[in-house]
Amino acid sequence: MSAPSTPPCSRSRETRETGAVLQMQSFSVNDGEGIRTVIFLPGCPLRCRWCANPEAWTASPKLAVSHAKCIGCGACEAACPASLFPPRLESPAASGCSVCGACVKVCPAGALKILIQEMSVAEAARRVERDALFFRYSGGGVTFSGGEPTAQAGFLRALAREFDSRGFDMALETCGFFVWDEVEDVLALMSHVFYDLKHMDAAVHRELTGAPNELILENCRRLSRLGIPITVRIPVIKAVNDTKENLEAVCRFMTENLPGASIELLPYHDFGREKYRAVGLANQRHDGYVRPEAHEMEAAEDLFRRRGTTVVRYR
Amino acid sequence: MSITARIERLRQNYIRSKPSICHERARIFTESHKRSEGRPLPVRRAQALYDFCSEFDGPIFDDELIVGATGKFRKSGILTPEFSWMWVDREMDFFDKRPQDPYEMTDEQRAFVRGEIFPYWKGRSLEEAFLARLPRESLSIAVDSGVVDNDSKWRQAVGEITPDYQDVLFPKGLAGVKGEAEAHLAALSPARAEDLDKIVFYESVIIACEAVIVLARKYARKARALAAVEKDAARAKELLAISEVCRRVPAEPPRSFHEAVQFVWFIQLGGILSENPLALNLGRFDQYMHPYYMADRKKGLLSEEQAQELVEALWLKLSEWVWTISANTADFFAGYNQFQNLTVGGRTRDGFDAANDLSYLCLRATDSVRTHQPGLSVRIHSDCPQEFLDAVCDLVGQGTGFPAIHNDQAGTQMLLQAGYEPEDARDWSNCGCVVPHFRKTGEWTSAVNVNFGAALEYALNEGKSRLTGELMGRPCRPVSEYASYEEVEKAFLDQLANLVRHSVISTLTAQKLHARLAPRPFLSACVDGCLEKGLDLSVGGAHYNVGPVLTGIGLAVAANSLAAVRKLVFDDGAASLEELNKALNDDWEGHDRLRRMALAAPKYGNDDKYVDDIAVAVSNFYYRAARGYKDIFGSPFNSAFMGISNYIPAGRVVGATPCGRKAGRPLSEGVSPFAGSDTVSPLATMRSSAKVNHDVHTGGTLLNLRLSPELTATKRGKRNLGNMLRAYFSLGAFHVQFNTVSTETLRRAQADPEMYRDMLVRVAGYSTQFVNLSPEMQEAIIERTVHAAM
């Protein structure tokens, strides 16, 4: 699957009162200060080859199958209006699955689940409000993540305005591939942005993610000019983007363009493996990416430290 | 790692030596009672203590700084046949083989106690009197049934006392207390009928005080004698110092930190030898020890390291003696736990922050020696110093299950609710595991365990046990006749009220007998009020008398089950009550689909109003039911949702439940969710449990959470944990305790117990060595949901 070379453009600065939510995760402590609730908004313009969240590529509801739990009883097939047998579907969407949920209700093993639901801003606020007490005591708040949160710019705007009026601290994680004018006002409400820089070489970036990086870098410069604290994140993959050359390029970019920004290096992980099978995208998975060793991560962090860049770990 | 090599040697010994029964105390008590036939019982008990203290050649073990032992062995358990001998007779052949808390005992010992000790007590013990007197209607439900369980109150002494160091013991010394008793006695006359019981009481107090003074002086002589033959000059000097300390305390007020620590241990020893007590607490140790610590520090007589060494030596002493209990009691109070609670932090009587150097030292000592005693508790108030909270979270991060963390203000509120003066309510410390308590109090803080799962079962099964078919509850309608959810809930509450009634009957029976058969002369000398009133603790001598606490077990199982009935049967019509009942009778075998629906029904612990509202309603009902009865002193009974290990044996007698639980599986503890069913987040769990009105359950509430160790591995993580605690307490909740040992570590410990002998885990309300738990108990610990940060 390939991604477009420019992000999808929607009507500028609209608001949408409902949107697609993959998950709201309470008690998150690795994506910003304090105890946070992370809202995962599905839909992503990139297709990074190592992606760990294939279920969040698009914002449409998906049927997920836990192959470990499936006992092969066939109850789902009997209940399905289209007589499909979800565990065997290579690609549920292509097979005519309408994600009606009939199979989920009857599965005795609890092996089926619908991912991504349509949610209103009011409902999201109601849920976040339950955790708000813990934000106040810990200095935490809400973190928007994805997919790519800016991919649902209108919904993100409505959520951010609502949370801003409620006094919640907000942070955002982004891949940076968005139309600046569409989200500038939303970004301005954030107290912290985590910004992914996957590779500094435009051609390599396009090969790895399906999109070029010029816009990403330009958006990052603009963000810095807004004065919002930035933490650059690199999903560090052995022999892909952990070369001295690439890390130094990131470092240079930060020194020249992002005064005061910090960096967090996140080692690649393989936890997404099962998810590809679960949502019928096994054939889209690229294998062979390797997690750097702990000492290699340390060395990479040292490289940044030596050049005067603040290294952080939200762990 | 212990603070000094000496403490580490003591610690290794504590970890490696096996608990053994020492029958010396039983032998000397029995002989003494044979000699004192006909004299008043309080005097006979005190005299028996005196005889033990003067006859028993108490050992001083190598390296000891704090001396005094309950028996010949480092880890000695004593026998108290005056309370109960029948269970010992029945069980002692298997003491070394029982799964929970085994003891060593030789055949020779067994022959001796069977031949010389038990025959004397036949017909005289508390247990026999209780079984003879308990109203017949309560027999099947209140004796070894797992339904209404209070055997620790008729096979054992009550315990549950916090000696008053602040106002009685340290200012007066035992000699001073004895002097007061003598002065009272001098004003009484055997010619006045109303004086007669008081005369007996004061005489018993005088003898008991003398007994413990004699015990200390014997250790003074022993230390001196050992010093004379000691080859190591440093140790000889140390033994002479120990001798001086034991000559001084506990007869006289302590003058140094060392004397104060030794004083505390002698008081523990006096209480232990008197009655083998559950929960003889050390109270606010950091508060009453602080003046001695500061004085010695200022004078340059004590380094911080020396102070910590003495404290660690005390921690080992507290852990070495063994609370000898029946297999049944051991199931309910697992892990050789003596429940000697020690509380640090909190506020002063005036409401100011009370944390001091010793509060921190106590946290460090527990981290350092990793003993299962004392039960270290902390009080956290809204203005508590961040560094104190940080120190608490540091210890949580060590994965010992310590400390138990309590909301200072909630504890105070509970005591105000129970009728305490405001200064006293602010001066609370814990009793046993999580019972807010004040030292001038007589209270049965864990009088009865009440099985909510059983009440639910009886409501759905015509009053009968599902496992045995026996009629245990009130006879009631078959499920086919319940027309609405409200009728089911009412039937459950009726059954619960019935269990409360039997709990009260059983407690009143035991209280009446304790007043006649179990005088407590030594502990009466340690608690304010008794000397002034001329009354023993057992007859209401304490300044405050608070009603017995009934602990509810299985609140989450009851709420989850009622919610499942409401959802499946009355809301969704997915099954009839008859079908559900059939599935429960079949232990869910062949009813997979229905069980899946039951498991998917709302579960307490996820901030879900549907089921949480039921939990709150049930807990409020329980509070009112308990408060509707009064004890023999006229004090209303109290409710609690504290945990001991009671949720495991309580679950064993309950068949499958509508929440999806299988027959015989553990229930739930305190106000904690059912193990593994709190799947949303720890924040949701805390919000659910805070919905219960903690402040009215004056016997304490308990929430146990397991956290992934990664969460507390960094400073940031610990800060977040501390802030999470503050947020939880702001909701009015009383207690939370964390286990942070990973599942993998627990599995490794099961496979290789030798390597993990010192690993402490939170059981419920207390921590103990994981490897000392029965396999069943270990599985229950592992099953608790691990809350990893997402």
Side-chain angles (χ1 to χ4, degrees), chain B residues 78 161 177-178 212 229 234 256 284 301 318 336 340 350 352 383 391 511 615 630 632 660 664 702 747:
Chain B
I78 60 172
I161 285 294
V177 176
K178 181 186 151 205
V212 178
V229 296
S256 67
R284 303 189 73 182
L301 298 174
L318 292 167
Y336 295 118
Q340 301 157 107
D350 300 327
F352 299 112
D383 196 28
Q511 273 194 319
K630 289 197 167 79
I632 65 167
L702 170 144
R747 289 285 176 213

Side-chain angles (χ1 to χ4, degrees), chain B residues 121-138:
Chain B
W121 294 103
K122 187 166 167 38
R124 292 179 160 100
S125 71
L126 180 73
E127 176 180 27
E128 289 158 279
F130 178 85
L131 293 173
R133 294 219 182 171
L134 183 68
R136 186 165 304 217
E137 57 168 325
S138 297

Side-chain angles (χ1 to χ4, degrees), chain A:
Chain A
M1 189 181 288
S2 66
S5 57
T6 54
C9 191
S10 59
R11 268 184 303 122
S12 197
R13 307 212 169 174
E14 56 156 10
T15 60
R16 291 177 60 100
E17 285 306 312
T18 66
V21 173
L22 173 62
Q23 202 184 356
M24 292 182 61
Q25 191 66 67
S26 291
F27 194 45
S28 296
V29 295
N30 300 331
D31 295 298
E33 299 303 325
I35 296 172
R36 308 190 73 82
T37 300
V38 178
I39 303 183
F40 294 92
L41 300 175
C44 185
L46 304 188
R47 288 293 177 273
C48 304
R49 295 170 68 89
W50 56 81
C51 180
N53 302 309
E55 76 282 17
W57 286 350
T58 67
S60 57
K62 295 169 184 65
L63 183 65
V65 185
S66 165
H67 293 273
K69 286 186 185 166
C70 174
I71 54 172
C73 69
C76 48
E77 189 174 10
C80 178
S83 298
L84 301 172
F85 184 60
R88 231 177 273 135
L89 296 182
E90 287 295 316
S91 168
S95 318
C97 171
S98 63
V99 201
C100 70
C103 55
V104 177
K105 287 203 186 80
V106 299
C107 174
L112 298 170
K113 200 165 134 185
I114 293 177
L115 301 177
I116 301 178
Q117 51 175 315
E118 195 71 5
M119 193 183 288
S120 67
V121 170
E123 169 64 9
R126 193 185 66 77
R127 294 209 199 173
V128 170
E129 208 51 78
R130 289 183 181 184
D131 296 333
L133 178 73
F134 296 91
F135 302 165
R136 283 177 210 127
Y137 277 89
S138 68
V142 174
T143 298
F144 296 105
S145 183
E148 166 54 43
T150 62
Q152 295 188 62
F155 184 44
L156 175 66
R157 174 171 294 105
L159 286 171
R161 285 183 183 168
E162 177 63 28
F163 293 168
D164 182 59
S165 72
R166 287 170 188 257
F168 296 155
D169 175 89
M170 285 180 281
L172 180 131
E173 292 183 284
T174 181
C175 69
F177 198 64
F178 51 74
V179 177
W180 177 259
D181 286 343
E182 269 185 25
V183 290
E184 179 186 357
D185 63 314
V186 181
L187 294 174
L189 295 174
M190 301 297 141
S191 64
H192 194 164
V193 173
F194 293 90
Y195 205 102
D196 272 15
L197 291 182
K198 286 156 180 125
H199 207 288
M200 292 305 288
D201 183 285
V204 178
H205 193 279
R206 180 188 281 275
E207 192 197 321
L208 293 173
T209 71
N213 68 359
E214 290 87 351
L215 177 66
I216 292 173
L217 297 175
E218 180 51 29
N219 280 342
C220 197
R221 288 187 202 98
R222 289 168 171 154
L223 185 67
S224 182
R225 287 197 290 273
L226 274 188
I228 295 169
I230 298 171
T231 297
V232 171
R233 277 180 165 172
I234 306 178
V236 186
I237 306 161
K238 195 160 175 165
V240 172
N241 60 5
D242 71 338
T243 58
K244 192 159 180 264
E245 188 191 359
N246 185 55
L247 296 178
E248 279 180 346
V250 173
C251 200
R252 230 173 9 251
F253 176 77
M254 289 178 70
T255 314
E256 287 166 11
N257 301 291
L258 313 177
S262 57
I263 184 134
E264 182 172 26
L265 301 180
L266 303 172
Y268 164 78
H269 63 75
D270 192 24
F271 302 156
R273 177 191 291 265
E274 266 308 302
K275 289 196 202 165
Y276 279 85
R277 275 190 79 200
V279 293
L281 290 169
N283 59 346
Q284 303 276 331
R285 187 168 175 274
H286 299 278
D287 218 342
Y289 290 105
V290 179
R291 181 186 176 89
E293 305 287 330
H295 70 88
E296 292 168 313
M297 291 301 295
E298 301 267 350
E301 287 185 346
D302 274 348
L303 185 146
F304 282 91
R305 271 192 214 104
R306 276 200 308 276
R307 285 160 178 75
T309 302
T310 307
V311 178
V312 293
R313 284 188 185 185
Y314 282 92
R315 275 164 280 169

Side-chain angles (χ1 to χ4, degrees), chain A residues 25-37 73 75 103-111 129-135 137-139 313-315, chain B residues 592-593 596-597 606-609 680-684 686-687 707 710-711 714-717 719-721 723-728 730-731 787-790:
Chain A
Q25 191 66 67
S26 291
F27 194 45
S28 296
V29 295
N30 300 331
D31 295 298
E33 299 303 325
I35 296 172
R36 308 190 73 82
T37 300
C73 69
C103 55
V104 177
K105 287 203 186 80
V106 299
C107 174
E129 208 51 78
R130 289 183 181 184
D131 296 333
L133 178 73
F134 296 91
F135 302 165
Y137 277 89
S138 68
R313 284 188 185 185
Y314 282 92
R315 275 164 280 169
Chain B
D592 290 350
R593 180 157 303 173
R596 199 172 83 75
M597 288 191 281
N606 297 299
D607 195 14
D608 182 337
K609 190 172 161 50
V680 172
S681 79
L683 309 188
M686 288 180 154
R687 288 184 62 90
L707 292 174
E710 287 79 28
L711 183 72
T714 61
K715 201 169 175 223
R716 225 180 84 77
R719 201 39 90 85
N720 280 333
L721 182 72
N723 290 328
M724 179 165 89
L725 270 173
R726 284 192 193 269
Y728 178 53
S730 78
L731 294 169
H787 278 298
M790 312 298 178

Side-chain angles (χ1 to χ4, degrees), chain B residues 217-456:
Chain B
R217 300 251 156 96
K218 281 196 71 178
Y219 277 104
R221 283 197 295 280
K222 178 129 204 160
R224 182 166 290 277
L226 286 174
V229 296
E230 176 64 49
K231 292 189 184 69
D232 177 359
R235 177 63 178 164
K237 197 174 159 216
E238 207 169 77
L239 284 163
L240 288 177
I242 290 169
S243 175
E244 285 307 306
V245 168
C246 296
R247 263 158 45 96
R248 170 87 191 176
V249 294
E252 306 299 327
R255 293 165 303 186
S256 67
F257 189 69
H258 186 170
E259 286 183 358
V261 175
Q262 180 67 59
F263 193 127
V264 169
W265 176 241
F266 275 137
I267 297 302
Q268 287 298 112
L269 205 48
I272 294 163
L273 293 168
S274 293
E275 59 176 50
N276 186 40
L278 159 79
L280 182 59
N281 310 291
L282 289 95
R284 303 189 73 182
F285 185 82
D286 60 340
Q287 303 303 302
Y288 61 78
M289 296 297 284
H290 192 247
Y292 303 94
Y293 172 79
M294 283 311 289
D296 281 7
R297 295 280 290 133
K298 273 192 191 131
K299 282 185 254 170
L301 298 174
L302 183 78
S303 69
E304 206 174 294
E305 187 186 277
Q306 285 169 324
Q308 190 169 331
E309 185 179 39
L310 285 164
V311 168
E312 290 183 7
L314 177 64
W315 272 207
L316 282 155
K317 274 293 178 194
L318 292 167
S319 301
E320 279 176 354
W321 81 276
V322 177
W323 185 43
T324 315
I325 47 177
S326 69
N328 180 53
T329 308
D331 273 343
F332 280 79
F333 302 82
Y336 295 118
N337 207 307
Q338 306 92 323
F339 295 90
Q340 301 157 107
N341 206 297
L342 186 147
T343 306
V344 300
R347 290 175 301 162
T348 63
R349 291 175 64 80
D350 300 327
F352 299 112
D353 178 55
N356 61 35
D357 294 350
L358 274 183
S359 323
Y360 292 90
L361 192 147
C362 289
L363 293 172
R364 284 202 302 278
T366 289
D367 182 23
S368 158
V369 285
R370 306 275 166 114
T371 49
H372 71 291
Q373 291 285 287
L376 185 65
S377 299
V378 296
R379 293 169 43 174
I380 301 294
H381 61 94
S382 16
D383 196 28
C384 110
Q386 186 62 42
E387 57 179 330
F388 185 65
L389 188 56
D390 286 347
V392 166
C393 292
D394 273 343
L395 185 52
V396 168
Q398 296 302 317
T400 60
F402 285 128
I405 306 167
H406 297 81
N407 178 355
D408 189 289
Q409 280 100 334
T412 298
Q413 188 57 44
M414 285 165 164
L415 291 204
L416 287 172
Q417 197 89 8
Y420 284 82
E421 291 297 318
E423 291 82 4
D424 293 344
R426 278 184 219 114
D427 201 9
W428 63 274
S429 53
N430 273 299
C431 177
C433 51
V434 296
V435 188
H437 192 64
F438 177 61
R439 56 185 185 274
K440 301 173 196 297
T441 302
E443 176 184 10
W444 289 16
T445 61
S446 61
V448 188
N449 292 299
V450 182
N451 190 328
F452 281 34
L456 181 89

